[in-house]
Amino acid sequence: MAEQLSLDLPSRTALGRDAFFAAPSNAAALHLVEDWQNWAGRKLVLTGPEGSGKTHLTHVWAALSGAQIVAARDLPHIDIAVEAVRGSIAVEDVPEIASDAHAEALLFHLHNMALAEGQALLLTGRGDVARWGIALPDLKSRIQGSVAVALNAPDDTLLSALLVKLLSDRQLTPKPDLIPYLLSRMDRSFAAAIALVDRLDAASLAQKKPVTRRLAAQVLEARSPLDRP
């Protein structure tokens, strides 16, 4: 049977536990998320580079704990007193509100109210928490005083699984020889995998062709010098 061509359909990202691939690079984070009822101080900081699985793991935790998920930049648009009482909560991309005095104050109050209500709190962001740029001293000290766990750079097994998942999210089924081909030629990072699959999907749609090694070679060759490892 011929490989199915890509259709111009919305990407469906699988965010359940079954779709989260356990590997040495994420084992510590996955263990803590699954052991969330024993978090020190009922809170955890989850860090990692773009595309490392922070959002996916946050959704895994939300499914386990019944938590709500809110983007840090959306804090000014929610009633934090209501959210703190409603249940546990995850705040994603905390560094995006760095030096926003109002948003930082809201997160500080949410942090205190949620913990006072006996809720669990998960905060996520890229990079070392010491470099998140949080200006409010009380909030900064509470974040830096929390247990933090990092999602690390992917090994071959995890990167292969990520490529398959990203392609599957776009309703693309790679042939067995495609993933090893991509691994040997791409920049080895989560962000590079996401960008590469985006380009493969776009090329497949534009040319109305399946994602094959031939198409992948065209996409890889078309990268600008700045995109290449």
Side-chain angles (χ1 to χ4, degrees):
M1 180 180 296
E3 182 179 355
Q4 183 177 0
L5 291 175
S6 170
L7 300 177
D8 191 7
L9 299 173
S11 172
R12 297 194 301 269
T13 301
L15 294 172
R17 172 62 184 88
D18 290 345
F20 189 86
F21 302 99
S25 58
N26 61 34
L30 179 59
H31 170 73
L32 279 172
V33 162
E34 293 183 328
D35 193 40
W36 69 275
Q37 292 175 312
N38 295 313
W39 287 353
R42 297 194 307 281
K43 58 182 177 177
L44 179 71
V45 174
L46 177 64
T47 68
E50 178 186 358
S52 61
K54 294 189 299 299
T55 291
H56 192 161
L57 202 50
T58 297
H59 280 264
V60 170
W61 178 66
L64 291 171
S65 64
Q68 310 149 73
I69 302 173
V70 60
R73 62 181 176 275
D74 291 336
L75 288 173
H77 309 298
I78 67 172
D79 187 332
I80 61 171
V82 171
E83 300 302 326
V85 173
R86 184 178 298 174
S88 297
I89 189 164
V91 182
E92 292 194 291
D93 301 317
V94 173
E96 290 189 5
I97 62 169
S99 299
D100 181 333
H102 180 52
E104 287 192 10
L106 289 172
L107 180 55
F108 173 69
H109 292 306
L110 176 62
H111 170 285
N112 292 345
M113 286 189 288
L115 296 183
E117 291 290 337
Q119 315 295 1
L121 179 67
L122 176 66
L123 305 176
T124 77
R126 300 183 195 178
D128 191 323
V129 294
R131 298 182 179 179
W132 278 10
I134 299 300
L136 184 63
D138 287 339
L139 176 61
K140 181 178 181 179
S141 66
R142 281 161 174 75
I143 292 176
Q144 294 188 1
S146 305
V147 173
V149 64
L151 290 163
N152 298 313
D155 55 20
D156 281 356
T157 300
L158 181 55
L159 200 55
S160 296
L162 176 62
L163 286 168
V164 171
K165 177 185 182 298
L166 291 170
L167 289 164
S168 177
D169 287 343
R170 291 158 177 79
Q171 297 86 51
L172 298 171
T173 303
K175 291 185 177 179
D177 63 346
L178 179 64
I179 301 303
Y181 180 82
L182 295 176
L183 281 176
S184 66
R185 290 162 175 82
M186 62 177 285
D187 187 8
R188 304 181 63 77
S189 71
F190 294 107
I194 293 170
L196 177 55
V197 172
D198 283 345
R199 292 195 297 269
L200 287 170
D201 190 22
S204 176
L205 287 168
Q207 299 183 32
K208 295 182 172 57
K209 294 180 179 179
V211 178
T212 61
R213 281 183 52 171
R214 181 186 294 274
L215 184 68
Q218 296 174 8
V219 169
L220 290 167
E221 182 62 29
R223 288 180 299 172
S224 71
L226 293 178
D227 292 333
R228 297 176 185 176

